[in-house]
Amino acid sequence: MRLRFTKMHGAGNDFVVIDATKQPLTLTPEQMRHLGDRRFGVGCDQILVIEPSTDAGADFRYRIFNNTGAEVEHCGNGSRCFVRYVVDAGLTDKREIHVDTLNRRLRLMLQDDGRVTVNMGAPVFEPAALPFDPAGLVPRLEHGFELWPVEGVELGVVSMGNPHAVQRVADVATAPVATLGPRIEGHARFARRVNAGFLQVLARDRIALRVYERDAGETLACGTGACAAVVVGIRAGWLDSAVEVQTRGGQLRIEWAGGDSPVLMTGPAVKVFDGEIEL
Ligand SMILES: N[C@H](CCC[C@H](N)C(=O)O)C(=O)O
């Protein structure tokens, strides 16, 4: 099969974007893995498949697959690239777009400076939402927020639609992302595995972040991970409600007013090239 695609990135988190708005497309996990392979295929962290909406309340739907072929619930950087794609491809003339993912409806706004703001929905802190099994653990409370002792560190857990476990570190540059990241990502207490965030507080409105992503390893940026780190930092009393997040691939802005209010993420979305591949 000859497949047309668009290569994009959001703060260095890179995607193969496939437009399936005009004809249905089903790729096997093996075909996804080939697309994601940085030597034998195109190479990407995740694959984004854009489809027509199946509900009057949304303009589109899209599906996200890690480069292992596993479908996931949410991708912050991918949602911004989705907006850039559908606007540039002329699939919509709107600047506020509603899209359905596996388990959320997102509202996305294209800003005049080219960045995209995404209403990422509200965080969910109940362990069962990830899922995370806290049985037998005694959390340390930081400003009333539970930090769970796992693998010798303290994890703040939160679902942004996909699962995240965030720990505070003194310096992201020396954080044990390559060794501790996979141990947390695959830990038995996370039945559907987890994205492992390493957060360094630079100021109450600025953090540095590295994320060992579920099913993808360390990426240069993780949008849902940035949301997760900021809301954990706010609940733990380390951060204010608007935070600049420095990732290895670029900068994101995360805002959250607390409670059931939605998390707003603003950041870049860049098209790199169009291509075709024989699958
Ligand atoms: N690896 C994530 C999906 C991609 C999320 C990330 N790329 C983002 O920008 O949010 C997971 O399995 O939940």
Side-chain angles (χ1 to χ4, degrees):
M1 163 175 66
R2 196 91 188 128
L3 182 71
R4 297 174 59 82
F5 67 86
T6 297
K7 187 72 177 15
M8 303 186 76
H9 76 84
N13 181 195
D14 66 339
F15 307 98
V16 166
V17 178
I18 298 166
D19 182 347
T21 58
K22 299 179 180 59
Q23 75 283 330
L25 175 74
T26 301
L27 295 176
T28 65
E30 182 50 40
Q31 289 174 320
M32 297 271 187
R33 285 192 289 272
H34 181 62
L35 272 176
D37 191 304
R38 295 189 184 283
R39 289 172 178 77
F40 295 100
V42 179
C44 63
D45 294 322
Q46 282 89 30
I47 293 127
L48 205 57
V49 181
I50 302 172
E51 301 175 335
S53 173
T54 54
D55 182 302
D59 303 298
F60 298 92
R61 59 174 287 114
Y62 74 67
R63 303 174 68 184
I64 296 275
F65 301 84
N66 284 317
N67 60 22
T68 58
E71 184 163 13
V72 292
E73 307 91 343
H74 202 356
C75 180
N77 291 318
S79 63
R80 302 196 313 274
C81 289
F82 152 77
V83 170
R84 169 58 57 211
Y85 179 87
V86 294
V87 169
D88 290 355
L91 297 179
T92 181
D93 56 6
K94 295 183 177 180
R95 296 180 74 80
E96 178 171 315
I97 297 165
H98 293 82
V99 66
D100 284 339
T101 69
L102 210 53
N103 62 6
R104 291 198 171 197
R105 174 162 293 172
L106 305 178
R107 181 165 62 89
L108 307 98
M109 287 73 69
L110 179 60
Q111 305 296 347
D112 293 339
D113 65 4
R115 291 189 303 168
V116 179
T117 296
V118 185
N119 176 326
M120 299 285 282
V124 181
F125 295 97
E126 284 71 34
L130 279 78
F132 167 62
D133 174 12
L137 297 180
V138 178
R140 184 174 70 80
L141 297 185
E142 176 103 348
H143 288 82
F145 180 61
E146 295 164 329
L147 295 175
W148 297 98
V150 176
E151 289 288 327
V153 298
E154 293 182 330
L155 298 178
V157 299
V158 59
S159 172
M160 285 304 304
N162 60 345
H164 290 269
V166 181
Q167 61 186 279
R168 184 172 181 176
V169 297
D171 181 354
V172 289
T174 58
V177 177
T179 51
L180 187 53
R183 294 211 313 267
I184 293 170
E185 189 254 5
H187 199 280
R189 287 187 178 273
F190 296 95
R192 298 188 61 237
R193 306 198 354 263
V194 71
N195 298 283
F198 298 78
L199 146 68
Q200 176 185 353
V201 176
L202 301 170
R204 290 191 61 84
D205 63 353
R206 201 156 51 87
I207 67 170
L209 178 69
R210 292 171 69 181
V211 180
Y212 189 93
E213 283 199 28
R214 175 177 63 171
D215 247 359
E218 182 175 7
T219 56
L220 294 183
C222 178
T224 51
C227 296
V230 168
V231 301
V232 163
I234 292 169
R235 285 285 304 270
W238 306 329
L239 299 174
D240 292 336
S241 59
V243 178
E244 294 296 327
V245 180
Q246 290 174 2
T247 75
R248 297 173 76 189
Q251 189 151 323
L252 301 176
R253 180 175 177 73
I254 308 297
E255 298 166 271
W256 184 52
D260 292 335
S261 60
V263 181
L264 299 181
M265 171 190 64
T266 299
V270 176
K271 173 181 170 180
V272 183
F273 66 88
D274 291 314
E276 286 191 17
I277 184 171
E278 190 63 39
L279 282 184

